[in-house]
Amino acid sequence: MVYLSKEELQRFKQLLVDENPRPGSVQITWDQVKTARWGEVVHLLMEYFPGRLTWDVTCDIFAKMNQTELCLQVQMELNDILPRLEPADTNPREMPMSMEERESDKIQEYKLHVIDECSTTCSKTTWPGNHVDFFYQEIERHKRFLPCLFLPRRPQGRQPMTVVLQGVAGVGKTTLAKKVMLEWAQNKFYPHKFWCAFYIHCREVAQVAKQNFSELIAHKWPGSKALMSKIMSKPDQLLLLFDGFEEVTLTLTDRPTDLSEDWSQQLPGSILLTSLLSKRMLPEATILITLRFTSRRKLKPFLKQPSFITLTGLGMAERGKYFRTYFGNKREADEALSFVMGNTVLLSMRQVPVVCWMGCSCLRQQMERGADLRQVYPNATALFVQYLSSLFPTKAGGLPGNTHQEQLRGLCYLAAEGMWNMKWVFDPEDLEHAKLEETAIATFLRVNIFQRVAGDQDCYTFAFMSFQEFFAALWYVLSSPQRLRNFQVLDSVHVMRLIAYPRRKKNYLAPMGLFLFGLLNETCALAAEKSFRGKLTLSNRKKLLKVAALSHEFGPPTPHHCVPQLLSCLHETQEEGICEPDPK
């Protein structure tokens, strides 16, 4: 189906509607396919023409379209998978639920509410100066996932009922989930399958001591109470999107006896969430989950036959397109892109849209001054130093010098504690422990270093994960007169965790490690000291390099961890001979 042009796809859909029902199949209507993309058409074929019928109908339509090569390809694939083709369900697929006019109006009202709520998220970011960042409208690589989210991963497979969108922070998981909701409300996303969809942030489950599923839905759709029985009578036509696992401290229960299949039963948040995710409750419903790699190990044991899709962020072509769009001037865009291409660490960070924007913002500023980019930015960390420090002297200048340093240390302490403990949301107790004052919190909020957690005015998170990673690294180079050693000591175990985490392919501490090694560069350290108006120390430098040199003693290096991360960390220092053995 991928090989069909837009015009050919429309012709295919017209012929599909004209196709006579066969034994075990159901007639497809034009309303069901008029907005469907290729992946959704495949999904329709599989549901309405089960088993081998899917292939036979497809081949017949290709023949009517004179698509001889595609007919041959279908036959070749069919011959290959026929011995392994699973028996089809002989029960024809039920037609979508029929609604009374009054009920249909209520659903349309809910869809209009979803469109209003999601349009802002999908059209622009809340980041000042970013305005309408086209990446959040047109992430082509991610958009291609939409029509085939619920297709089997192999020809003879079954439709996944639990799909997990995974990726690093800021790569666009929530944006894509909101895009799904928006397109569903506009009758563009699997219109034949899902007659009702709900976006559920895990905070909505966690912040209520006890609730049932119908109450959870009622918060999303105030008019749903009267429709609840009808909604639950067709759970196979429900789509539930779960987001924000990183922002809650819920402990999913691993005791099967705690789980419930009764959607009307009042349950604690962790049990309600586990019952839904494990398919004990509403087993026929389709679930879409957004997840950072850091949460996969916690969540995977509770999921039933999940299909994992990794969002890799912006590709090279997309990054080049963004540079040209941002600068508007080809010469400047090429100069900036050439500089970024020469720094592998900086280049890898550009996968995240907001980091790409932030980098372009800093590069343009220096280029307008006629500065030599390689001198201003000896490494990737230096770019973050410039951007984040610019928020302090200009917008936080109302704080006295001493207070400024104390609040900076508090911010860095909070970030570091959060990184080591995999904590991304901070409550009043965390803020008090970090000795952050209300005035400082208000300032960090105003300049977009912090952002409030939606639905909870007392909890905060760093605006972007990169900010927390940077300030966590800064904590280990800040000099503090209150401490006997004058700096926060890193032990060998912590250093090793920054370089590589044994038995894991994904090390969530890796960016923090890169920033810390980057701050070892003397040019970068001097810039940070001047910009943040505080004394920095490189006292942890010897420990970092010693552990890095002896990293093989902690276990054999592998292509997945240790070697790439170690080389990237050493590259960030940008100093020759840094790994030469101590003559003593």
Side-chain angles (χ1 to χ4, degrees):
M1 297 295 289
V2 176
Y3 296 106
L4 295 181
S5 66
K6 288 183 179 180
E7 294 75 18
E8 290 168 342
L9 179 60
Q10 286 299 104
R11 176 65 178 151
F12 185 97
K13 291 192 286 189
Q14 289 168 352
L15 292 171
L16 179 60
V17 171
D18 294 339
E19 192 74 24
N20 292 322
R22 307 184 185 195
S25 73
V26 176
Q27 180 72 50
I28 293 175
T29 66
W30 180 247
D31 282 341
Q32 291 172 301
V33 298
K34 64 181 178 182
T35 60
R37 291 157 295 196
W38 72 266
E40 292 157 343
V41 172
V42 173
H43 195 282
L44 262 168
L45 280 163
M46 293 177 62
E47 287 208 335
Y48 287 73
F49 295 91
R52 174 158 183 156
L53 282 178
T54 300
W55 300 87
D56 293 338
V57 168
T58 302
C59 196
D60 289 348
I61 294 177
F62 281 157
K64 292 175 184 177
M65 294 173 65
N66 296 320
Q67 294 282 352
T68 308
E69 289 187 13
L70 291 181
C71 284
L72 289 173
Q73 191 168 339
V74 169
Q75 286 296 337
M76 287 172 63
E77 290 196 21
L78 186 56
N79 291 336
D80 181 52
I81 70 167
L82 190 59
R84 305 188 301 278
L85 196 62
E86 296 179 9
D89 187 352
T90 54
N91 297 319
R93 207 262 191 211
E94 294 183 23
M95 296 299 287
M97 184 184 302
S98 59
M99 304 293 293
E100 297 177 9
E101 186 176 347
R102 180 175 56 84
E103 295 171 333
S104 182
D105 288 344
K106 285 185 177 181
I107 289 181
Q108 190 57 37
E109 194 177 302
Y110 169 59
K111 286 186 174 182
L112 290 173
H113 170 71
V114 170
I115 291 171
D116 182 58
E117 191 178 61
C118 293
S119 291
T120 303
T121 306
C122 293
S123 66
K124 60 184 176 182
T125 70
T126 57
W127 192 244
N130 204 12
H131 304 301
V132 182
D133 186 336
F134 82 94
F135 275 132
Y136 287 84
Q137 301 175 64
E138 296 291 334
I139 305 178
E140 291 300 329
R141 181 178 296 183
H142 293 181
K143 265 186 75 175
R144 290 197 293 270
F145 284 131
L146 290 178
C148 48
L149 279 174
F150 302 108
L151 289 181
R153 302 280 81 89
R154 58 187 189 280
Q156 69 272 29
R158 291 184 178 273
Q159 172 205 336
M161 300 298 289
T162 299
V163 176
V164 180
L165 290 174
Q166 62 180 0
V168 298
V171 80
K173 301 181 296 297
T174 295
T175 302
L176 192 61
K178 290 292 183 73
K179 184 74 172 174
V180 168
M181 283 298 297
L182 180 62
E183 292 207 354
W184 167 80
Q186 295 171 335
N187 301 316
K188 295 179 182 177
F189 182 78
Y190 284 84
H192 73 283
K193 181 172 177 61
F194 303 119
W195 81 279
C196 224
F198 298 100
Y199 174 87
I200 300 169
H201 198 288
C202 290
R203 282 192 309 272
E204 297 170 312
V205 183
Q207 64 191 7
V208 181
K210 274 193 176 184
Q211 64 179 332
N212 58 35
F213 180 72
S214 60
E215 290 170 336
L216 179 64
I217 296 305
H219 290 304
K220 310 296 298 176
W221 182 10
S224 63
K225 194 169 183 180
L227 274 173
M228 206 62 202
S229 295
K230 180 156 276 191
I231 291 172
M232 304 310 292
S233 69
K234 293 286 184 181
D236 62 312
Q237 295 177 32
L238 276 179
L239 172 62
L240 306 178
L241 290 86
F242 291 95
D243 191 15
F245 282 92
E246 292 76 22
E247 295 185 25
V248 298
T249 55
L250 277 176
T251 303
L252 300 178
T253 177
D254 56 0
R255 292 172 52 187
T257 53
D258 290 339
L259 305 183
S260 173
E261 58 187 35
D262 183 0
W263 53 267
S264 63
Q265 183 182 351
Q266 294 275 332
L267 297 168
S270 60
I271 294 178
L272 175 59
L273 194 58
T274 311
S275 297
L276 289 166
L277 294 174
S278 65
K279 293 298 185 77
R280 178 71 175 270
M281 187 182 293
L282 304 178
E284 303 93 341
T286 301
I287 292 178
L288 180 64
I289 302 167
T290 68
L291 204 64
R292 289 184 197 169
F293 293 119
T294 50
S295 300
R296 176 168 171 161
R297 287 179 65 198
K298 292 181 181 178
L299 193 60
K300 189 177 179 181
F302 301 98
L303 304 180
K304 188 175 181 181
Q305 296 180 328
S307 172
F308 287 91
I309 296 175
T310 300
L311 301 189
T312 56
L314 306 174
M316 282 301 301
E318 292 161 325
R319 278 174 268 184
K321 181 182 177 183
Y322 183 61
F323 270 71
R324 290 189 294 274
T325 303
Y326 185 93
F327 286 93
N329 181 300
K330 186 179 185 300
R331 182 188 60 78
E332 292 179 349
D334 289 346
E335 182 185 347
L337 193 57
S338 174
F339 170 72
V340 171
M341 293 282 286
N343 187 315
T344 54
V345 175
L346 201 55
L347 187 64
S348 65
M349 288 180 174
R350 292 295 172 272
Q351 295 178 46
V352 178
V354 75
V355 176
C356 197
W357 167 79
M358 190 182 75
C360 285
S361 175
C362 291
L363 291 173
R364 169 183 273 177
Q365 191 178 44
Q366 295 300 328
M367 288 165 66
E368 288 174 349
R369 294 175 180 172
D372 183 339
L373 296 179
R374 284 168 178 77
Q375 287 186 1
V376 178
Y377 303 123
N379 55 20
T381 306
L383 192 142
F384 279 81
V385 167
Q386 182 200 323
Y387 184 79
L388 291 173
S389 64
S390 70
L391 303 179
F392 282 82
T394 56
K395 298 181 180 178
L399 297 172
N402 291 339
T403 305
H404 170 86
Q405 286 305 302
E406 288 172 7
Q407 298 312 302
L408 177 59
R409 281 194 292 272
L411 181 71
C412 293
Y413 171 80
L414 187 76
E417 285 295 297
M419 290 302 298
W420 294 121
N421 297 298
M422 295 179 67
K423 188 167 188 176
W424 326 117
V425 175
F426 305 99
D427 57 30
E429 188 177 337
D430 298 317
L431 300 171
E432 184 180 354
H433 194 56
K435 298 181 181 178
L436 282 174
E437 300 172 356
E438 289 185 11
T439 52
I441 294 169
T443 299
F444 297 146
L445 190 64
R446 188 172 66 252
V447 300
N448 283 289
I449 289 175
F450 274 173
Q451 65 181 17
R452 274 200 176 91
V453 173
D456 194 336
Q457 293 298 303
D458 294 328
C459 290
Y460 301 85
T461 182
F462 283 85
F464 295 101
M465 192 65 198
S466 299
F467 292 4
Q468 183 172 348
E469 292 159 349
F470 175 83
F471 285 114
L474 189 60
W475 174 240
Y476 293 98
V477 295
L478 276 179
S479 177
S480 175
Q482 287 85 0
R483 284 195 295 267
L484 186 63
R485 282 180 171 267
N486 208 34
F487 69 99
Q488 184 66 33
V489 181
L490 269 170
D491 60 32
S492 299
V493 174
H494 283 93
V495 174
M496 197 57 208
R497 285 185 64 189
L498 292 172
I499 298 173
Y501 202 99
R503 298 178 299 280
R504 282 193 187 176
K505 293 183 181 180
K506 297 289 182 182
N507 179 7
Y508 77 97
L509 292 167
M512 177 183 168
L514 285 172
F515 284 134
L516 184 53
F517 274 80
L519 288 166
L520 294 181
N521 175 273
E522 290 188 8
T523 304
C524 184
L526 287 172
E529 187 170 89
K530 181 180 179 181
S531 300
F532 285 103
R533 294 184 289 152
K535 180 70 175 173
L536 267 63
T537 173
L538 301 184
S539 301
N540 273 314
R541 178 189 180 112
K542 189 174 181 180
K543 173 63 70 65
L544 282 164
L545 297 177
K546 181 180 179 181
V547 175
L550 299 175
S551 60
H552 63 279
E553 295 184 2
F554 292 83
T558 74
H560 296 300
H561 63 268
C562 196
V563 172
Q565 173 67 0
L566 176 58
L567 292 176
S568 295
C569 286
L570 295 176
H571 181 268
E572 268 297 278
T573 64
Q574 287 292 302
E575 294 185 29
E576 295 181 10
I578 198 167
C579 289
E580 290 179 1
D582 191 328
K584 295 180 182 180

